[in-house]
């Protein structure tokens, strides 16, 4: 169904893999959207290119030192240029039909909260705000009547087949995982894995951080915590199954034995099309499933001995908000250190485990308190990583 009045759209993080896929969706039917602003952290060239392509009113670069470069890149256009975290929050606090939140890390938390107070719908693609501040995100959305739309393929799948009027009849939800590049590797092989091998995801095209998280299964652990907040379910009702074909993205099992599943080709443009057009549907520029070529679909339980990060995420969820903040912060530090060659692949889970052993509050009442705890954990994780790195150098 075509609509004469386009949706006003903001894109927080337009240059990453999610932002790039969202641009494809918008440009497939540009008459449906009016892009108010787009943002990026440092990539001026990609930001300017996206702003031009999407005919955005405003472009915002996070790094204030790059503002003059952005203005130069937009010279000759009508597009306004701003820079800095405050500018991002100020623009997110302007009315919009939908805001897509795709800024990686806790840097995206403040503009997300601003958007939740002023957008009719917020499509959340970055994991960190829900993992670190899920209760706060839900509280602000409820206070302002804002609809949260999950973009992650797994949560988007659950969203499509989850009946909130039948909460008591939901036995469990099941998030699927591809298993990553090391699904069939032995523990000894995994121990020697290189960054290049870990980045080689078999199904999805993603950024470096999320690709490593997929290889460790931490990505799925973070999704379990997100699902707890998105669907108001306890940890014992959130399961994970490894599904290497990545065609079934999520399932809801009801007490009568019925299982409703959402299926699609492994292409992020599909869930993005769903959320950007919600509550209607529109044609996607993404890939389609070829049913005639589908020979089999396999499912297996995750091996927690080879992929302990998933188990650590369940532990953090049971322990409370402070532990969830620690899980996310330590994992970010460990992944960066692995990509830079300072620690090995299996050291990632060791860094996270050490962070979870620190004392953590159950709950936090403000963004400042959340960020302060995040920074404390990062400092501790940095020290732990340095000790591992020093041992490696001495060996």
């Amino acid at each position: 169904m075509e609509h004469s009045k386009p949706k006003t759209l903001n894109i927080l993080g337009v240059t990453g893999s999610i932002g790039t896929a969202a641009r494809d969706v918008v440009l497939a039917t540009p008459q449906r959207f009016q892009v108010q602003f787009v943002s990026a952290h440092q990539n001026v060239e990609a930001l300017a290119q996206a702003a031009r392509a999407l005919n955005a009113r405003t472009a915002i670069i996070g790094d204030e030192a790059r503002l003059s470069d952005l203005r130069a890149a937009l010279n000759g256009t009508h597009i306004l240029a701003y820079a800095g975290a405050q500018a991002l929050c100020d623009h997110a606090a302007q009315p919009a039909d939908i805001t897509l939140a795709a800024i990686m890390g806790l840097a995206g938390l403040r503009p997300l909260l601003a958007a939740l107070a002023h957008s009719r719908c917020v499509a959340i693609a970055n994991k960190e705000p829900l993992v670190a501040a899920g209760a706060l995100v839900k509280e602000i959305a409820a206070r302002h009547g804002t609809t949260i739309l999950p973009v992650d393929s797994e949560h988007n799948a659950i969203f499509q087949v989850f009946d909130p009027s039948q909460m008591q009849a939901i036995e469990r939800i099941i998030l699927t995982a591809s298993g990553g590049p090391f699904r069939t590797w032995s523990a000894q092989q995994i121990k020697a894995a290189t960054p290049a091998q870990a980045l080689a995801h078999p199904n999805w095209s993603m950024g470096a951080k999320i690709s490593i998280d997929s290889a460790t299964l931490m990505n799925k652990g973070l999704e379990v915590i997100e699902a707890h907040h998105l669907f108001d379910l306890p940890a014992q009702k959130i399961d994970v199954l490894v599904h290497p074909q990545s065609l079934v993205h999520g399932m809801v099992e009801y007490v009568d034995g019925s299982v409703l599943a959402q299926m699609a080709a492994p292409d992020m443009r599909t869930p993005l099309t769903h959320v950007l057009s919600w509550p209607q549907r529109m044609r996607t520029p993404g890939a389609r499933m070829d049913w005639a070529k589908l020979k089999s679909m396999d499912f297996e339980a995750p091996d927690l001995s080879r992929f302990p990060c998933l188990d650590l995420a369940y532990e953090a969820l049971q322990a409370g908000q402070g532990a969830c903040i620690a899980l996310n912060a330590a994992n970010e530090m460990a992944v960066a250190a692995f990509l830079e060659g300072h620690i090995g692949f299996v050291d990632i889970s060791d860094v996270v485990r050490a962070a979870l052993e620190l004392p953590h509050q159950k709950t936090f009442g403000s963004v400042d308190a959340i960020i302060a705890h995040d920074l404390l954990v990062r400092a501790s994780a940095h020290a732990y990583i340095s000790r591992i790195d020093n041992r490696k150098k001495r060996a």
Side-chain angles (χ1 to χ4, degrees):
M1 181 186 299
E2 296 297 330
H3 296 269
S4 57
K5 185 178 180 182
K7 282 185 177 181
T8 51
L9 169 65
N10 301 327
I11 303 178
L12 298 165
V14 75
T15 59
S17 58
I18 294 294
T20 301
R23 183 172 62 180
D24 289 346
V25 172
V26 172
L27 292 178
T29 52
Q31 69 277 8
R32 297 183 69 118
F33 302 97
Q34 181 182 86
V35 179
Q36 297 186 140
F37 79 82
V38 293
S39 81
H41 178 49
Q42 285 185 316
N43 194 335
V44 165
E45 294 74 18
L47 174 60
Q49 182 184 40
R52 287 172 182 266
L54 294 168
N55 196 30
R57 292 178 179 174
T58 301
I60 305 171
I61 191 75
D63 185 350
E64 295 186 37
R66 302 300 307 276
L67 179 57
S68 60
D69 295 332
L70 178 60
R71 286 176 173 161
L74 294 173
N75 188 39
T77 74
H78 66 281
I79 303 168
L80 300 173
Y82 295 91
Q86 189 58 53
L88 192 56
C89 288
D90 289 345
H91 282 78
Q94 296 175 4
D97 289 321
I98 184 167
T99 294
L100 172 62
I103 296 175
M104 189 178 73
L106 276 184
L109 180 56
R110 292 188 192 276
L112 168 64
L113 297 181
L116 285 167
H118 296 88
S119 296
R120 288 198 308 110
C121 298
V122 174
I124 300 182
N126 50 332
K127 301 179 186 306
E128 295 82 8
L130 280 170
V131 171
L136 181 60
V137 167
K138 292 290 294 294
E139 187 272 323
I140 292 176
R143 188 194 317 161
H144 294 278
T146 304
T147 300
I148 294 176
L149 300 171
V151 175
D152 259 353
S153 61
E154 296 80 5
H155 300 123
N156 182 261
I158 300 298
F159 181 80
Q160 294 194 49
V161 294
F162 188 96
D163 185 354
S165 70
Q166 297 286 328
M167 283 291 290
Q168 298 305 312
I170 293 174
E171 190 81 26
R172 61 174 177 158
I173 63 174
I174 302 167
L175 306 173
T176 60
S178 70
F182 305 144
R183 181 177 64 87
T184 61
W185 287 32
S186 68
Q188 197 62 32
Q189 288 174 308
I190 291 173
K191 188 175 182 180
T194 67
Q197 291 169 325
L199 289 169
H201 196 281
N203 299 335
W204 296 92
S205 175
M206 305 179 294
K209 162 64 165 56
I210 195 171
S211 294
I212 301 302
D213 283 350
S214 179
T216 63
L217 288 195
M218 178 59 87
N219 190 46
K220 213 51 49 180
L222 296 173
E223 288 173 8
V224 167
I225 298 171
E226 288 181 275
H228 160 73
H229 293 292
L230 286 168
F231 304 109
D232 295 317
L233 291 174
Q236 58 267 28
K237 285 195 171 188
I238 307 170
D239 284 346
V240 171
L241 278 178
V242 173
H243 168 50
Q245 290 84 8
S246 295
L247 299 174
V248 176
H249 302 291
M251 296 176 270
V252 178
E253 182 177 333
Y254 291 87
V255 292
D256 61 5
S258 298
V259 179
L260 302 185
Q262 187 268 356
M263 301 176 65
D267 188 325
M268 282 308 300
R269 290 174 294 184
T270 300
L272 280 162
T273 301
H274 176 258
V275 298
L276 292 179
S277 63
W278 187 90
Q280 284 78 40
R281 289 185 184 264
M282 67 183 190
R283 183 169 295 277
T284 181
R288 302 297 184 106
M289 291 180 64
D290 188 339
W291 292 91
K293 292 183 178 179
L294 181 60
K295 302 300 182 185
S296 65
M297 289 194 295
D298 303 301
F299 299 90
E300 61 193 50
D303 184 344
L304 300 180
S305 64
R306 288 184 298 141
F307 302 100
C309 284
L310 177 56
D311 205 29
L312 293 173
Y314 274 102
E315 288 181 21
L317 179 55
Q318 297 285 14
Q321 186 181 7
C324 291
I325 294 168
L327 178 93
N328 178 73
N331 179 64
E332 282 191 17
M333 296 290 291
V335 169
F338 169 65
L339 288 171
E340 293 166 2
H342 298 301
I343 64 174
F345 183 79
V346 297
D347 294 324
I348 294 174
S349 60
D350 290 340
V351 173
V352 175
R353 186 178 291 107
L356 292 182
E357 291 172 354
L358 299 171
H360 303 291
Q361 287 178 224
K362 283 278 189 180
T363 60
F364 293 80
S366 70
V367 175
D368 287 343
I370 290 167
I371 293 175
H373 189 62
D374 174 88
L375 291 173
L376 283 173
V377 174
R378 287 175 189 271
S380 176
H382 176 74
Y384 193 90
I385 288 165
S386 296
R387 290 195 292 272
I388 296 174
D389 192 21
N390 289 333
R391 284 199 302 269
K392 280 181 59 180
K393 290 174 180 176
R394 291 195 300 266

